[in-house]
Amino acid sequence: MKISFISKMAWQNIKSNRKLYIPYMMAASTTVAMFIMMSALLTNKFVQERSAELTSLFGMGTIVIGIFSLIFIFYTNSFLMKRRKKELGLYSILGLEKKHVNTILVCVKLL
């Protein structure tokens, strides 16, 4: 299966399911941005020089936000996959193998 065909199918899926994907992309990017901000504050030289308590506080905050982000992204991804169950079943009826469907889903996540 050619990569151009897979990317066309992935792009078509995003366009047809944009009401689902826009909130998912916004939520995922917001949680990742919060994690990156906390990590940047943890490694900031000014914060490290101020006090050790502040550094440990930002370290715990980074861990908590990282765990929350991981759980939240997996939850929203499972919700999105449940909503697309009929579409994935249609792909198998049309003759696509599991590896092709997985390739399309990975391509959708990367776009």
Side-chain angles (χ1 to χ4, degrees):
M1 196 173 241
K2 292 185 178 182
I3 192 71
S4 62
F5 179 69
I6 292 173
S7 63
K8 284 180 187 177
M9 286 186 73
W11 187 248
Q12 183 63 32
N13 288 336
I14 290 174
K15 285 197 292 189
S16 64
N17 292 320
R18 66 179 168 263
K19 288 182 180 180
L20 294 175
Y21 276 112
I22 289 173
Y24 172 72
M25 295 294 179
M26 289 176 60
S29 62
T30 303
T31 56
V32 169
M34 285 190 319
F35 179 74
I36 290 173
M37 283 189 279
M38 285 298 286
S39 297
L41 285 172
L42 177 64
T43 59
N44 191 342
K45 189 178 267 189
F46 178 75
V47 172
Q48 291 175 350
E49 292 173 355
R50 292 295 276 179
S51 75
E53 295 169 355
L54 195 57
T55 304
S56 65
L57 183 66
F58 279 126
M60 288 189 328
T62 302
I63 292 170
V64 168
I65 288 178
I67 292 170
F68 171 74
S69 298
L70 190 69
I71 292 169
F72 184 70
I73 288 174
F74 279 133
Y75 175 74
T76 55
N77 189 30
S78 68
F79 172 75
L80 191 65
M81 288 297 115
K82 285 179 186 176
R83 297 283 301 234
R84 296 185 61 202
K85 193 181 284 188
K86 289 181 183 177
E87 180 182 344
L88 299 176
L90 179 64
Y91 286 153
S92 67
I93 290 173
L94 290 174
L96 290 178
E97 297 176 3
K98 253 188 176 179
K99 64 180 180 180
H100 296 127
V101 174
N102 288 337
T103 307
I104 291 171
L105 291 176
V106 167
C107 196
V108 166
K109 298 293 182 198
L110 295 177
L111 291 177

